[in-house]
Amino acid sequence: MAPNGVLSNGNGSGQEVDVDILIIGAGPTGLGAAKRLHQIDGPSWMIIDSNEIPGGLASTDITPEGFLYDVGGHVIFSHYKYFDDCINEALPNETDWYQHQRVSYVRYKDLWVPYPFQNNISMLPKEDQVICLEGMIDAALEARVANTKPKDFDEWILRNNGEGLANIFMRPYNYKVWAVPTTKMQCQWLGERVAAPNVKLVTKNVILNKTAGNWGPNATFRFPAHGGTGNIWISVAKTIPREKQRFGSHGRVKSVDAPNKRVHLEDGTTIKYEKLISTMAVDSLVEAMHDDSLIKLSRGLFYSTTHVIGVGVRGSRPERIGDKCWLYFPEDNCPFYRATIFSNYSPNNQPQATKKLPTQQLADGSKPDSTEPTAGPYWSIMLEVSESSMKPVNVQTMLPDCIAGLVATQMLKPTDEIVSTYHRAFDHGYPTPTLEREGVLTQLLPKLYDMGILSRGRFGSWRYEVGNQDHSFMLGVEAADHIVNGAAELTLNYPDFVNTRVNSERRLVDGAQFFKSMKGIRVEGMPLRAKMDG
């Protein structure tokens, strides 16, 4: 075997590889861990993934016609300077990016209501304004005397928004997104995710017929000029040594032997490790470990499946669509909860106008008069539909149902020419913050940790509140730093802290940094987790 855990004679059955740290998964979390370990340049390490192309749940597909679709609605905004450094290193040129101001609306009663809905009820019909304002006033009065915290997400909605907004928007929309009722979700995850309305401002805007401005951390964002979101992670992977990457069929995990600290791959290779950073879904990880007690414990975690549907359309982008970015749909006249005008993010997300494509169907489902390939221009819409045991869907009719929903919501006209369609289901789409979640995670993650396994990432640590690309990347960075330097994993353990500040302690240009003293980032009452035993 070559130094630093690298195979000296290629991939092959029956070989054994020995590394200090093994990383499973080459999505943002795994690449974050690899990037930090490469920077520290201490322990030997390897990153494996069953896919040939890195990116995980932040990857991009290309249809045969040349339309690009991400795995759901991803945009780049950041809480971390280290994340920015790594992304800028991977795609360093100004021409690598498009900068956008978020233009986002909620479709309600054939109106486009600016996002966030709860701050813009001035746009609603008068009768709905009254219902919402009455509920908000009642909620504000009750909040003044409340001496307990909300017991679930539904109670949080009622206390912050009132009954009117809850019934008109918050309950139906969140059910469409999460595929579980709001009464079955906890509310600790909310933070900057959900806007709580300002009753005085809302009332003022209703009287003056004004709308509220942009809210939230993604009011401005950037998007890759080429290759979709997936190109970010392909480019990041290129900045770490190729010889430490094992992707594709030679990187597929068959089983994890935690007691003996070995991972067995499908091709017969065994990788021996001292520490394991796993970004697999934690329920899949414990299945691979064949640990019945952990499998039983993981069954308390709930997730939804995300269906991503893409529709490529011939013609110039309509004026009714304009420069909209992503749009929300709480009503039941369409199966999707969100639509992204993906062609607005980059002109390279769809074929060039000179490319000739046949019309597959019209938006009303009828056949075109001619299927002769003709030129563009083209534009595209990306849709998301959730599915769970509490919200079943008809997969066979989903695509036509979604196209019918686009017509019903006036996103498409019945005569629009559809030249490309795309549908892919991602089994683990959203890690649901159910009432039971923390009870499971506070047992499951420490049990794995005691075995030398750090389960991290969107589904590795199962915390949606730190499940964006920047969070996911830093979960990997901080896991690597924790193993090597004993650093605190702030993103995992203190989501509210990292989400309310600019996290600038780590920088890519500074070299390996030690955080044992926690200088500059002390939080009152926050313990520093001890370095893992070797």
Side-chain angles (χ1 to χ4, degrees):
M1 197 180 78
N4 231 15
V6 181
L7 280 172
S8 58
N9 56 349
N11 299 315
S13 177
Q15 294 197 61
E16 184 167 292
V17 183
D18 194 342
V19 293
D20 294 324
I21 302 171
L22 175 64
I23 306 162
I24 298 178
T29 306
L31 291 172
K35 187 69 180 171
R36 189 61 169 170
L37 290 170
H38 178 50
Q39 181 187 6
I40 292 171
D41 194 23
S44 62
W45 59 273
M46 178 176 286
I47 181 170
I48 62 174
D49 196 295
S50 60
N51 293 311
E52 290 283 355
I53 299 173
L57 287 174
S59 58
T60 302
D61 286 343
I62 305 176
T63 71
E65 298 81 15
F67 289 86
L68 275 64
Y69 295 108
D70 283 353
V71 182
H74 297 308
V75 296
I76 289 291
F77 58 98
S78 171
H79 301 81
Y80 306 87
K81 290 297 184 183
Y82 188 85
F83 174 83
D84 296 337
D85 289 345
C86 293
I87 298 304
N88 291 336
E89 179 196 41
L91 294 172
N93 302 312
E94 191 174 328
T95 54
D96 291 332
W97 299 94
Y98 282 96
Q99 305 287 336
H100 295 287
Q101 291 284 329
R102 181 189 67 214
V103 181
S104 189
Y105 292 88
V106 178
R107 187 70 174 174
Y108 177 74
K109 290 188 174 179
D110 295 333
L111 298 169
W112 289 116
V113 180
Y115 170 87
F117 186 91
Q118 52 269 47
N119 286 348
N120 288 296
I121 65 172
S122 58
M123 299 294 292
L124 305 185
K126 289 296 181 185
E127 59 272 20
D128 287 337
Q129 290 181 15
V130 171
I131 291 170
C132 290
L133 279 174
E134 286 180 342
M136 290 171 67
I137 292 168
D138 288 342
L141 291 172
E142 290 178 22
R144 294 179 67 178
V145 297
N147 55 12
T148 59
K149 292 182 178 181
K151 68 179 185 295
D152 56 35
F153 185 29
D154 195 76
E155 191 170 295
W156 184 96
I157 290 170
L158 289 174
R159 287 196 190 183
N160 284 275
N161 297 272
E163 191 80 38
L165 263 169
N167 292 333
I168 284 173
F169 176 65
M170 295 294 287
R171 281 169 171 159
Y173 177 71
N174 279 287
Y175 177 66
K176 285 184 82 172
V177 173
W178 292 104
V180 300
T182 51
T183 52
K184 294 185 178 295
M185 295 175 64
Q186 49 118 312
C187 53
Q188 287 86 353
W189 62 276
L190 291 162
E192 60 180 17
R193 295 282 184 170
V194 180
N198 180 322
V199 181
K200 288 184 178 179
L201 180 62
V202 169
T203 304
K204 177 182 175 181
N205 287 342
V206 166
I207 294 171
L208 299 178
N209 196 30
K210 291 175 64 177
T211 58
N214 272 351
W215 171 90
N218 56 9
T220 62
F221 65 94
R222 56 178 172 160
F223 194 85
H226 298 275
T229 295
N231 186 39
I232 299 171
W233 303 108
I234 292 170
S235 300
V236 168
K238 289 177 180 177
T239 68
I240 59 178
R242 181 66 188 91
E243 66 271 15
K244 296 187 181 184
Q245 303 173 25
R246 190 181 176 103
F247 298 163
S249 58
H250 293 295
R252 184 170 289 113
V253 173
K254 181 180 181 181
S255 64
V256 177
D257 180 0
N260 294 305
K261 295 189 174 182
R262 282 172 166 78
V263 169
H264 301 286
L265 304 183
E266 291 282 359
D267 72 350
T269 301
T270 297
I271 303 179
K272 187 178 183 300
Y273 63 86
E274 290 300 317
K275 302 295 180 189
L276 175 63
I277 299 174
S278 171
T279 75
M280 298 170 66
V282 69
D283 53 344
S284 301
L285 169 65
V286 296
E287 290 277 356
M289 292 168 63
H290 305 293
D291 188 313
D292 291 339
S293 65
L294 295 185
I295 291 170
K296 183 178 180 181
L297 182 58
S298 73
R299 286 175 182 153
L301 296 171
F302 195 85
Y303 67 91
S304 62
T305 294
T306 298
H307 294 266
V308 179
I309 293 92
V311 180
V313 187
R314 190 194 318 280
S316 299
R317 183 191 67 190
E319 194 172 319
R320 68 182 183 278
I321 297 299
D323 58 354
K324 293 180 174 70
C325 297
W326 61 89
L327 310 162
Y328 302 99
F329 297 85
E331 297 175 305
D332 59 8
N333 58 352
C334 62
F336 44 87
Y337 61 85
R338 181 165 59 183
T340 299
I341 312 304
F342 207 58
S343 51
N344 278 349
Y345 285 4
S346 169
N348 302 305
N349 285 348
Q350 54 280 333
Q352 295 298 308
T354 53
K355 184 168 185 176
K356 294 184 178 181
L357 295 172
T359 300
Q360 296 181 359
Q361 67 168 84
L362 302 184
D364 64 4
S366 62
K367 293 293 182 183
D369 293 334
S370 170
T371 56
E372 187 71 23
T374 55
Y378 304 102
W379 64 287
S380 62
I381 307 173
M382 183 174 68
L383 308 171
E384 293 161 90
V385 179
S386 66
E387 176 188 9
S388 77
S389 57
M390 299 185 197
K391 182 181 171 288
V393 298
N394 187 332
V395 177
Q396 281 67 40
T397 64
M398 184 175 294
L399 181 59
D401 289 347
C402 282
I403 294 172
L406 288 171
V407 174
T409 56
Q410 299 174 15
M411 295 283 287
L412 290 180
K413 291 183 176 179
T415 55
D416 280 341
E417 297 179 39
I418 295 173
V419 298
S420 177
T421 58
Y422 166 89
H423 176 197
R424 185 176 173 189
F426 298 89
D427 180 67
H428 282 60
Y430 276 71
T432 314
T434 56
L435 295 171
E436 299 83 9
R437 182 192 75 169
E438 283 307 301
V440 173
L441 293 179
T442 52
Q443 295 181 69
L444 183 56
L445 296 184
K447 287 178 184 290
L448 292 168
Y449 181 90
D450 289 343
M451 299 178 185
I453 300 173
L454 285 76
S455 182
R456 302 292 183 262
R458 184 176 176 92
F459 281 99
S461 42
W462 215 278
R463 288 195 169 97
Y464 173 74
E465 56 268 42
V466 282
N468 284 343
Q469 291 179 86
D470 62 328
H471 296 124
S472 297
F473 185 77
M474 293 306 295
L475 284 169
V477 170
E478 292 175 11
D481 241 349
H482 180 72
I483 292 171
V484 179
N485 298 321
E489 295 185 76
L490 296 178
T491 302
L492 175 71
N493 295 308
Y494 305 97
D496 289 342
F497 177 65
V498 298
N499 282 335
T500 53
R501 70 192 293 270
V502 176
N503 299 277
S504 57
E505 291 74 31
R506 287 178 182 84
R507 297 304 298 264
L508 184 60
V509 294
D510 290 342
Q513 297 173 7
F514 291 78
F515 292 96
K516 291 178 182 177
S517 66
M518 291 291 290
K519 288 179 181 176
I521 49 173
R522 286 197 181 278
V523 180
E524 195 65 33
M526 183 173 72
L528 174 63
R529 294 181 73 171
K531 184 178 179 181
M532 293 180 73
D533 295 330

